[in-house]
Structures are given as structure tokens and as C-alpha cells.
Amino acid sequence: MQRPLIPLLIPLIVGISLGNFIHLPDLPLMVCLIMAMIASLVAMIKKWKVIIGLSLIFSLFLVGILNINLYLYQEQGQRHISNYLSPEKTTIDGIICENPEVSPHKTELVVSVVRVIKDKSTIPAEGRVLLTVRDRYPFKYGDFIRFRTRLRMPHNFNNPGGFDYERYLRYRNILVRGAISDPSGIVVLRENQGNRWKTTLERFRGKIRRLIRENSPTPAGEIIQAMTLGERKEIPEDVREKFNRTGTSHILAISGFHVGIVAFLSIYLIRLMMKSSPYLLLRFNAIKVSTFGACVPIVIYAFIAGMGISVVRATIMIVTFMVAILLGRERDLYNTLALAAFIILVVFPHSLFDISFQLSFTAVAAILFITPRLVLLIPKGKPEEKGISFSRKVFKGIFLFIMVSLSATLGTAPLIAFYFNRVSSISLLANIIVVPLLGMIALPVSMAIILTAPISPTLTTVLVKISSFLVKISVSLTDFFASLPGSSFFISTPTFTEMTAYYLLLVAMVKLTDTWKERNGESKEREPIRKRLWLGFALAVLVIFFVVDGIYLYAKDIYTDDLKVTSIDVGQGSSTLVRFPGGKKMLIDGGGFADNGFDIGKYVLAPFLRHERIKKVDTVVLTHPHPDHLGGLIYILENFAVREVWANGEVSGTDAYKDFMKIIREKKIHYRLVSEETPEEKIGNILLRILNPKHPIVGGNDRFQGFDVTNNNALVLKLTYGNCSFLLPADISEPSETRLIIEGKDIRSQVILVPHHGGFLSSTFPFLARVRPEIAIISCGADNIFRLPHSDVLKRYEMLGAKIYRTDRDGAITITTDGRRLETKVFKES
């Protein structure tokens, strides 16, 4: 078989994928694996080649499932820290077992638990805790610390298109997390309690970190630190955003490119030394010696870069390619790429679902597949010309670099669209200019810092300043490209079918070039006509698919007769998306947190909206300016097409509210005050009424009016479609509920979004008796500190016979109606 590793890689990938989504018990799998191995042994003795192949494929499929099971489905013992989950705070002793991840607003520590202190006694414990500490703080690997926190399970925001944070932490063997608002709540009992070798390495990394920080301003220092030590989170958010907009963010994270630079420089230096000695050149194979020798600095760099999963993967990939050169197998790079992926997935099976793994291997595969065809476009010199001129060499090198960048861009475009919902229109141009400067000049200088740090602090300082100067130029260029109109734009999340169709289209177009280009510049025979016809037919089918798909996406909302109301899981907050017949969209509130440490709009609402193919929101409604309703709307106003904003007029002195109003003014979004006085609106066949507050709160100021007053001033909306009504009462409580009853408002509704997240002072009996809901939706966060919904409130709805749905338990909840019947769909099935 020409490429035996590719068919062996496929069953391993299938096994890992299956095990990731379906829990299959280990014992039956182990029995099957043993039987497959016995069958393979018998087949080898009998020389049954087909049976050998099938047994091997089946064995690798089972190995894939068993490997991923080790990360996802291991049972924990009685001493595991997950047994100490409690609403009350717990005192814990443990060792920081990974290098702390420091970002501008927080520090994340992975703590290996040693013991729990309870009732003045110590209890041995085990497991890992992800501890989030507000603000930056100089903790170190190996610190033995004592802290007190409320332990809880990690929870996802369970919406379509959302990030599976729980599974991500399970891949890191973390099942419990905690948070501390004040770093003084952590006591360092002892230092240097980790692995001796890693502690020594971390001291060296700390020395490099200090030299960089002391001699390089922000953001250059943070970028140098990211390129040398792999610590990317300290880069300011606005700088990272600009690199994202230009499609050059890959240069900031240590990847195969960085390790490849180390390999290239190492090989170059070793060959340079060998060329100085004729004896060495005659005695040894320069290519193999330099390749073998380069493996040592590559491994050393991997350790200095922190030995993170992405660094280890990149190292395995590059070393695999170098081993192929040593073994004389460098010609079949596809097989070598498959070998690298095979090794990584056997050791780290969860890498299959990592973005950097997928992008790295897809980019390399695209370069191997596309670039050789594009290189054929380079005009060939005349046969009578002897040698190649310098200018022609330069042109060929530049053209090759452009073709490599283009190939990688084309290959990774669907993945970038899927994970980041962003396409950079200037990615190719920015990569051509920024990557050589930052990656091929600044990066080697930055890496030289590692070599000089233990020898000469003075020389290291000089290198840091040189690198800082080059990085500043790169950042300036990135700023310029990012500021260009239309430099990037957001797109909806593509489906798996669309991504597959894209890759088939790309393959067909590239293969079609084989039918009219000369093969390897030697033979002028053209491919058979039948192959060209099949490729042309495939191209036509795929083009038709994309045209039909585009028409469907455009028309599916416009021509629907259904009303869809989705309560989005935003944790302890509220956000509701209303999709009207005819295609109009209304977003009511946006969730959020009081400390603004996590952008609900960017990381929860936007991925959901883009997954649902929503680029435009006709109306954004802010029911009241509390953080758990306002926070997520800021990002939506900034990055989505919003026609108008509705609010009750109440103001707030918070920075979030000021940003909210500033964006409305700058983008000239129509701002409308609404209240009970607002005439009822008809959107298609939907009747929309505002039932609260009684009057717009005109001329409101920043003075403190009281938490409950603001809640009771919140907008209350009622949607009526045929025989079905939805009541969305925000955070009102007994005073506003009583007013609605006394004034005889028509609040009868089949569906209610439970007021104030199920708070005790809301959902009073008289109010519920008037509403008489059949379905009650509670928007609340898992394990929230308010312990909502209140048990008495749940009983009130149960007494009425209402079916209760909760975002903390069910994830996003969508109610669909045609005006006659209701259909409920939850994201997270029990």
C-alpha cells in the first residue's frame, strides 16, 4: 500500500469521535479488543492479509474509544474533591501544578488538591481544581497554597453553537472549579513543592519573563512573551482583536510555524559548522546529521515554551517530519503527516477536537495538496538560458510564499468560519507582509533571548529591545490593515454539509488543473476526457448546491408562518430571542454579570445568533438597566445590524450603561422610549403590547432609586398570535403584579417567562391565577448564589399545573407556535 498510515488513521479518528459523543463501557470494549488482536495474530500465522487489515482497523477503532474514555468517563474515588461540592465555602490545601495563566483581569490556577480542612480537622483529598482569582497576581508553579472557596461543577451555557466548557475542562482532568475575588484570600504556605526539574525550568522561564517585561513596553512585551514562552493571555484584548481581524493571530500562538523556525535555524547553524570542516562533510551526511542534531534544540524549546498541549503537538509534528527525512521517506509527506496525527491522537486523543490541531493539520494538508499545482503557474525560463538570475530567484521565492499562504488560507477557511464566524478579506495581504516581519525576523530574535538569558543579561536586554522594535512595526502594520474598511466581516456558522461541500469543491477545482497543466513539466499528455467530464459535473453540482443553499437561507425566515420564542441560557440573567413570521427578529435583554469579567454578548449571545444564521436584529429591547439584562447587549449593538432599541427611559450610572448609550449614539440607532402608553404594535400577525411601566421614565438621572424600584419599572411585553400568548414580565415583583391585576390588564397567557428568575417576591398567587400559564420558563444560572428559583415559587407553578422549564437544567428553550398549538424544544435533553 502506497500510504498505509492514512487508512489506519481513519478508524482511530472514528473511534475517538464516537467515544466523545457516546459513552460505551470499557469492559466490553476491552474484550472486543482482545478478540480482535487474537484474530489478527491467527491471520498473521495463516497469512490472511484481508483479515489482518480488518482486525487492525477494528482494533484501532476500539483503541480510539478507550483512549477518549480515559478523559471523559473515569469514575472518581471517595477522596476526590468533587465529593466536597457545597453552597458553603471549603478550605483547601493544594499545589499549583500548572503554570498560572495570567490575563489582564484575572489569574487562573490549576491546583492539585492535597487535603480539605473541615471542622478543624484535615482530610486527605485528591483531584484538580481550577481556581479563578480576580486581577493579576504573581503566583508560581509549585506554590503550596491554602484557600477558601465555594466549590462547584463547571457549567456550560447550553445553547446551539455554544462552547462545551465542561468537556474542555474534562480533557484537562478538571472536574471542579472555584473563584476568589480577593487574592489576599490565598495563603502561600510553602514554595517549590512541584517537580524539581519543572521548578528549575519555571525559574528560568520566570527570568526570561522578567527581562522581557523590564525592557519592552506593552503590547510588544506581551507579544514577545507569547512567541517565546507561549503565554498569550496577557496580550491586550484590543491587540488580539486586530490580529484576528487581519487573519494573522496564528503568529501569536506557539505552533508548528514557531517550532519549524527553530528547526530551520538549528539545521542551518549545524550545516554552517559542518561546512567549516571538509573532514566532517566527507565523513558524514550533512543533511541527516543536521536534521538529527536539530531535534535537540526543538525538544529544549518545547520545554521552555511551557510544554502545553499545543506546543507538544507542534513538536511531535515537526520531529515526525524530520525523522521521515532521516529515514529517507521525506518524499511522501502525506504519509508523514498521517503519522504525526496518528502519534498525537494516540497520546492525546482529545486533540482531535482542539481548534489548533484541526487548523494545523488542515493547513499543512492544504499546502501539500494545492501549492504544487499553483507553483506550475510560475513561468518557466527559456531552455537556452543557463542558471537562474538573482531577480528570478527572488521572484520565485516570493511567489512560492504567496502560494503557500493562499493554500493555507483556502484550506482553513471553513474551520475559521465555523469556530470564529469571521472572514478576513485582507488575510492574504496581511500574512504576506506581517508574517515575514514578525515570524521570520522578530521571532528568531525573540528566540535568541532564550539562548542568551543564562549567559549575558546585557546581551539579552539588547535582543529584547531589537525584538520589541520589530514587534512594534508589526503591530503598527496590523493596526493599519485592521483599520481598513471591510478588513473583516462576521458570517453565520456553516453547517457540516456546507463545509464538506466546500472541501469537495476545492478538491474538484484543484484536480481539474491536473487535466490541463503539464504533468511535472515533462509529459504533455492530457488527462482522459472522461475524468474532465466527471470533475466538471461535480463542480456544477456543487455550485448548484451553494446557490440553492443561499436561496434557502434567505427565504426560510421570510416565508415562515411560525412564531419562535427562545429563552437563551445566559446563566443568572435573562435574554430572549423572538423570531416573528416574515423574518423580523427581536432580542429582549442580553444577560450579563456585575463585574463585566466575562462578555456574555461576545461568548454566548453572538455564537448563538450566528449559529441560527442571524446577522440582523430588528429590535433590541432593554427591559431595565441591571447588569444581568444589559451586559450582553453592548457587543450585539457593536457587531450586529440593529435597527432600533426600545427602553423604558431609566438610566444607570454604570460603565456598561454608558457604553450602551454611547454605541446607540455613535451608530445612530433609533432609540425609542416605550411604556404602557405606547400603542400596540402589529408585527405580521403578531400583536405586541407593552404593559409596564405605566409611563416612560423621562428625565431619569443617575441617582439611586433602589433595586426593587428599578425592577418594578421594567418593561413587560405580551405577544399574542392567534390563540397563543406569551408574557415576558422581566424582573417585576408584587407591586407591579398587583397593579396589573387591579387595573384589569389582559395578562392571560399560555407561556410565561417567570419574573425575576423565580424570585420569592415575584410570581404571586393572584398574579399567576390571572395569567394561568400552561408553560413556565425560568431563566437562571446553575448553582447561582441567590439559590433561585425559590422552592415556594416552583410549588406555585406546580399547583397551577404548569409545565416548568429551566435554562440551568434544559439549556436554551424554544417555544414554536402557528397560533393554534405550542411546540417546545430544549437544547439539553434530560
Side-chain angles (χ1 to χ4, degrees):
M1 187 178 291
Q2 187 179 2
R3 291 170 181 151
L5 284 171
I6 294 177
L8 295 181
L9 178 63
I10 293 173
L12 181 66
I13 290 175
V14 173
I16 293 171
S17 301
L18 180 65
N20 187 63
F21 298 107
I22 301 175
H23 181 201
L24 300 175
D26 287 353
L27 185 59
L29 293 172
M30 293 290 290
V31 172
C32 292
L33 180 60
I34 293 170
M35 293 175 63
M37 293 174 67
I38 293 173
S40 180
L41 184 62
V42 172
M44 289 175 66
I45 296 172
K46 297 290 186 178
K47 296 183 179 179
W48 296 336
K49 293 184 179 180
V50 175
I51 301 299
I52 292 172
L54 292 175
S55 299
L56 186 58
I57 289 172
F58 186 58
S59 297
L60 289 171
F61 169 73
L62 296 173
V63 166
I65 300 175
L66 289 167
N67 271 9
I68 201 67
N69 278 0
L70 291 173
Y71 287 88
L72 295 179
Y73 309 115
Q74 286 299 301
E75 293 186 6
Q76 309 304 326
Q78 292 183 349
R79 293 175 55 178
H80 197 271
I81 191 65
S82 60
N83 295 311
Y84 294 90
L85 301 175
S86 169
E88 308 301 327
K89 288 188 176 182
T90 305
T91 303
I92 301 163
D93 288 354
I95 300 171
I96 299 176
C97 58
E98 291 185 7
N99 192 45
E101 291 190 354
V102 181
S103 56
H105 304 294
K106 66 180 179 180
T107 302
E108 287 190 340
L109 309 174
V110 178
V111 181
S112 179
V113 177
V114 174
R115 57 180 173 252
V116 172
I117 300 174
K118 193 173 183 181
D119 300 327
K120 297 183 179 180
S121 61
T122 59
I123 306 170
E126 60 188 20
R128 305 171 105 202
V129 174
L130 178 64
L131 185 63
T132 303
V133 185
R134 186 181 294 180
D135 298 327
R136 300 159 64 107
Y137 204 79
F139 295 106
K140 306 184 304 298
Y141 165 81
D143 284 349
F144 189 91
I145 62 174
R146 174 171 294 172
F147 58 95
R148 184 172 174 80
T149 187
R150 189 170 67 96
L151 297 176
R152 54 195 179 94
M153 296 287 288
H155 290 288
N156 292 334
F157 294 98
N158 290 297
N159 303 300
F163 176 61
D164 195 340
Y165 185 61
E166 295 175 31
R167 195 171 293 263
Y168 165 75
L169 290 183
R170 277 187 172 270
Y171 291 151
R172 297 173 61 187
N173 198 25
I174 297 172
L175 303 180
V176 180
R177 64 172 304 174
I180 293 180
S181 58
D182 185 0
S184 63
I186 301 178
V187 179
V188 179
L189 302 177
R190 292 188 295 277
E191 296 182 339
N192 304 324
Q193 298 300 300
N195 178 276
R196 184 176 64 179
W197 296 106
K198 188 170 181 179
T199 300
T200 303
L201 178 64
E202 287 302 325
R203 281 204 200 100
F204 178 62
R205 282 163 51 85
K207 182 178 181 179
I208 295 173
R209 194 180 296 115
R210 285 192 300 274
L211 287 168
I212 293 172
R213 288 177 178 175
E214 290 169 2
N215 297 282
S216 185
T218 189
E222 288 83 356
I223 292 175
I224 296 171
Q225 195 171 304
M227 295 193 299
T228 53
L229 302 178
E231 297 171 352
R232 187 182 179 187
K233 287 195 173 183
E234 292 193 55
I235 300 174
E237 182 67 27
D238 61 325
V239 175
R240 277 189 286 175
E241 177 65 17
K242 288 170 183 175
F243 275 90
N244 288 335
R245 291 183 65 181
T246 56
T248 54
S249 59
H250 59 89
I251 197 66
L252 300 178
I254 293 179
S255 61
F257 178 83
H258 298 70
V259 181
I261 290 290
V262 175
F264 173 79
L265 292 174
S266 301
I267 291 171
Y268 176 78
L269 291 173
I270 294 172
R271 287 191 185 181
L272 200 63
M273 288 187 290
M274 292 187 69
K275 285 181 179 179
S276 64
S277 171
Y279 170 77
L280 292 176
L281 287 175
L282 292 172
R283 182 71 179 81
F284 301 101
N285 185 313
I287 295 176
K288 292 193 174 182
V289 169
S290 58
T291 302
F292 179 78
C295 291
V296 177
I298 287 174
V299 174
I300 292 173
Y301 175 66
F303 277 97
I304 293 173
M307 286 297 288
I309 295 295
S310 60
V311 176
V312 174
R313 280 199 302 262
T315 303
I316 291 174
M317 181 189 292
I318 298 299
V319 169
T320 302
F321 275 89
M322 295 174 72
V323 170
I325 293 173
L326 290 172
L327 298 177
R329 302 281 184 175
E330 69 274 15
R331 291 185 179 275
D332 194 352
L333 295 178
Y334 288 110
N335 212 42
T336 305
L337 185 65
L339 176 62
F342 186 88
I343 295 171
I344 292 169
L345 292 178
V346 168
V347 180
F348 308 108
H350 57 280
S351 294
L352 181 63
F353 311 104
D354 187 86
I355 301 170
S356 61
F357 174 88
Q358 295 177 14
L359 289 174
S360 295
F361 278 89
T362 304
V364 174
I367 289 168
L368 294 177
F369 180 67
I370 301 173
T371 304
R373 273 89 174 181
L374 296 178
V375 168
L376 294 175
L377 298 174
I378 301 177
K380 293 181 172 57
K382 297 179 182 179
E384 62 271 14
E385 291 181 356
K386 293 183 179 180
I388 303 176
S389 66
F390 175 76
S391 60
R392 183 171 174 78
K393 285 183 179 179
V394 171
F395 168 77
K396 188 173 181 180
I398 294 173
F399 184 84
L400 181 60
F401 178 74
I402 294 172
M403 293 302 102
V404 168
S405 299
L406 177 61
S407 300
T409 301
L410 290 173
T412 57
L415 291 175
I416 291 173
F418 181 81
Y419 287 112
F420 304 108
N421 298 108
R422 170 174 262 163
V423 173
S424 175
S425 58
I426 57 168
S427 174
L428 184 60
L429 178 61
N431 274 275
I432 291 170
I433 296 174
V434 175
V435 170
L437 178 60
L438 192 59
M440 298 180 182
I441 302 177
L443 181 59
V445 176
S446 299
M447 289 176 175
I449 295 170
I450 298 171
L451 299 176
T452 60
I455 302 170
S456 172
T458 303
L459 180 57
T460 304
T461 299
V462 173
L463 290 174
V464 170
K465 290 183 176 180
I466 294 172
S467 182
S468 179
F469 174 73
L470 295 169
V471 169
K472 283 181 185 177
I473 297 174
S474 302
V475 171
S476 298
L477 288 169
T478 305
D479 287 345
F480 169 73
F481 285 124
S483 65
L484 294 175
S487 59
S488 71
F489 51 91
F490 288 102
I491 62 172
S492 302
T493 306
T495 64
F496 178 76
T497 303
E498 290 167 341
M499 294 170 67
T500 302
Y502 171 90
Y503 281 117
L504 290 175
L505 181 65
L506 183 62
V507 170
M509 291 177 67
V510 172
K511 293 295 289 183
L512 195 62
T513 62
D514 292 341
T515 66
W516 54 272
K517 274 291 179 182
E518 297 176 359
R519 301 287 282 176
N520 301 322
E522 296 172 1
S523 172
K524 291 191 177 182
E525 294 181 5
R526 295 183 180 274
E527 292 290 323
I529 295 176
R530 182 180 297 177
K531 183 176 180 179
R532 290 203 300 272
L533 290 174
W534 275 112
L535 287 171
F537 176 75
L539 279 173
V541 170
L542 291 167
V543 169
I544 292 171
F545 166 80
F546 281 111
V547 171
V548 172
D549 185 57
I551 294 172
Y552 167 75
L553 292 175
Y554 174 77
K556 71 182 182 70
D557 287 337
I558 295 177
Y559 296 103
T560 182
D561 292 326
D562 291 337
L563 170 68
K564 284 188 178 181
V565 178
T566 301
S567 182
I568 307 167
D569 179 11
V570 290
Q572 188 57 30
S574 180
S575 183
T576 305
L577 175 69
V578 181
R579 284 170 276 194
F580 295 95
K584 286 191 175 182
K585 316 297 192 298
M586 174 181 285
L587 182 64
I588 304 170
D589 292 329
F593 296 103
D595 59 3
N596 294 323
F598 180 80
D599 192 338
I600 284 282
K602 182 175 183 179
Y603 298 110
V604 178
L605 289 183
F608 167 71
L609 293 175
R610 289 170 181 142
H611 179 274
E612 298 298 297
R613 304 301 182 96
I614 295 172
K615 298 179 182 178
K616 176 184 176 183
V617 179
D618 295 276
T619 306
V620 163
V621 179
L622 175 63
T623 59
H624 61 297
H626 277 163
D628 59 333
H629 293 250
L630 166 64
L633 295 180
I634 296 171
Y635 184 86
I636 302 303
L637 292 179
E638 282 184 313
N639 296 279
F640 285 74
V642 176
R643 185 172 59 87
E644 64 177 349
V645 172
W646 292 3
N648 64 3
E650 186 160 6
V651 301
S652 168
T654 63
D655 291 337
Y657 182 79
K658 292 174 183 176
D659 291 340
F660 177 77
M661 296 305 298
K662 180 183 177 184
I663 296 167
I664 291 173
R665 289 191 299 269
E666 289 179 349
K667 298 191 72 173
K668 298 180 180 178
I669 299 171
H670 178 60
Y671 182 70
R672 181 181 178 192
L673 296 183
V674 294
S675 68
E676 185 185 325
E677 296 175 352
T678 303
E680 61 184 26
E681 296 229 357
K682 199 160 188 182
I683 305 175
N685 294 323
I686 311 300
L687 189 64
L688 187 152
R689 298 186 184 93
I690 308 292
L691 303 177
N692 195 68
K694 195 170 183 63
H695 310 287
I697 305 173
V698 180
N701 52 49
D702 292 347
R703 66 185 178 86
F704 180 72
Q705 299 187 66
F707 184 82
D708 291 334
V709 173
T710 299
N711 282 337
N712 280 297
N713 283 336
L715 293 175
V716 174
L717 285 75
K718 181 180 179 182
L719 305 173
T720 302
Y721 185 25
N723 298 323
C724 299
S725 293
F726 294 75
L727 187 65
L728 294 89
D731 281 359
I732 65 169
S733 58
E734 190 272 336
S736 291
E737 292 180 357
T738 301
R739 184 186 73 79
L740 293 174
I741 295 169
I742 292 174
E743 295 184 3
K745 301 300 180 185
D746 179 14
I747 55 176
R748 169 75 178 102
S749 300
Q750 283 70 35
V751 182
I752 184 173
L753 184 64
V754 175
H756 207 187
H757 322 288
F760 178 73
L761 297 179
S762 302
S763 299
T764 57
F765 271 119
F767 178 73
L768 295 184
R770 184 68 64 88
V771 177
R772 288 180 291 158
E774 299 171 11
I775 295 173
I777 300 173
I778 305 173
S779 182
C780 58
D783 301 329
N784 64 85
I785 61 174
F786 307 104
R787 302 185 185 183
L788 298 179
H790 196 280
S791 56
D792 287 352
V793 172
L794 293 175
K795 289 176 184 176
R796 294 173 202 168
Y797 283 97
E798 289 169 358
M799 289 176 63
L800 290 170
K803 174 69 175 176
I804 299 174
Y805 294 94
R806 298 168 47 168
T807 57
D808 63 335
R809 183 185 62 196
D810 303 309
I813 302 153
T814 300
I815 310 290
T816 305
T817 179
D818 58 0
R820 296 185 299 275
R821 57 184 179 274
L822 298 166
E823 180 183 338
T824 307
K825 181 180 180 182
V826 298
F827 177 76
K828 190 178 178 182
E829 298 288 348
S830 301

